[in-house]
Amino acid sequence: AACTMEGEGEGGMDREARILARRQRIEELLGAKAGDAEDKSRRKNTEAEKEESRSIVQINESKSRIDKIQTNGNAEVTKVRIMGDSRENERRINEEVNRQGRRQKLLYEAESSARQNATVAMKWSALFDKEIPQELLAEITTQRDTCERIIASKDRLIKEFK
């Protein structure tokens, strides 16, 4: 019986050591589970950070692509405007050249017409001096031809301007 007592005493010590060892294992197990939970949360955080950084990169790429498209679009619009302005400027220059040409022709026609009208006006007085009908007819016919030429030159100018 002493043996059992001693064994129990030693066993009691063993029992205490076993309880302590069991508690340590439970703590380690709980610590490991907590560590696993922490590792999982860390992994989730890392994955979330990776996902977040990927999304930020994608957002930045999209913004840069949009900026590039907008810049290219603005450049195209500017190019079209410049071409339109250039065509309009060229059209105005041509219109001005044509206007000056018409003005020059009108001035020339006015001078020419004034000279021809003066010639016709001077010949009218000569017609009154003619007493032979055939000479008068010839002079009147000449006057009419001269007037028709004046009118024809004016008609040509009118058709040209239309």
Side-chain angles (χ1 to χ4, degrees):
C3 217
T4 56
M5 285 288 208
E6 281 181 29
E8 283 180 16
E10 282 181 28
M13 282 296 264
D14 280 340
R15 187 173 179 228
E16 301 248 343
R18 282 184 308 195
I19 291 172
L20 186 61
R22 181 185 281 165
R23 283 184 184 156
Q24 285 177 348
R25 282 194 310 267
I26 290 171
E27 282 179 20
E28 286 175 7
L29 188 63
L30 288 176
K33 285 182 181 177
D36 285 346
E38 285 178 16
D39 285 347
K40 286 181 182 177
S41 68
R42 282 184 194 148
R43 276 188 239 132
K44 286 181 183 175
N45 287 341
T46 305
E47 288 174 15
E49 286 174 5
K50 286 180 183 178
E51 188 67 32
E52 188 176 315
S53 67
R54 256 190 281 154
S55 65
I56 290 173
V57 167
Q58 189 174 13
I59 288 170
N60 290 335
E61 286 176 358
S62 296
K63 283 182 179 179
S64 68
R65 199 171 345 140
I66 288 171
D67 288 342
K68 184 178 178 183
I69 290 170
Q70 188 176 15
T71 301
N72 289 342
N74 287 340
E76 287 295 317
V77 167
T78 302
K79 184 178 171 183
V80 168
R81 283 182 182 164
I82 288 172
M83 288 172 45
D85 289 348
S86 175
R87 281 194 303 265
E88 177 64 18
N89 193 28
E90 191 174 316
R91 183 194 64 79
R92 286 181 182 176
I93 289 171
N94 287 338
E95 190 175 283
E96 181 64 22
V97 167
N98 289 339
R99 188 183 66 77
Q100 287 177 353
R102 285 191 304 269
R103 185 169 185 257
Q104 200 69 4
K105 287 178 182 179
L106 283 172
L107 288 174
Y108 176 77
E109 176 61 31
E111 288 176 13
S112 172
S113 179
R115 280 194 304 264
Q116 289 173 345
N117 286 341
T119 305
V120 168
M122 284 192 292
K123 286 187 179 179
W124 282 117
S125 60
L127 288 177
F128 292 118
D129 294 341
K130 302 287 180 186
E131 293 189 17
I132 303 172
Q134 289 82 5
E135 287 179 5
L136 184 60
L137 178 63
E139 287 297 320
I140 289 175
T141 305
T142 305
Q143 282 289 81
R144 186 182 324 132
D145 290 342
T146 305
C147 290
E148 285 176 0
R149 279 194 308 252
I150 294 171
I151 292 170
S153 72
K154 292 187 182 292
D155 286 343
R156 272 195 310 272
L157 194 60
I158 289 170
K159 284 181 183 176
E160 187 177 321
F161 287 162
K162 286 183 178 178

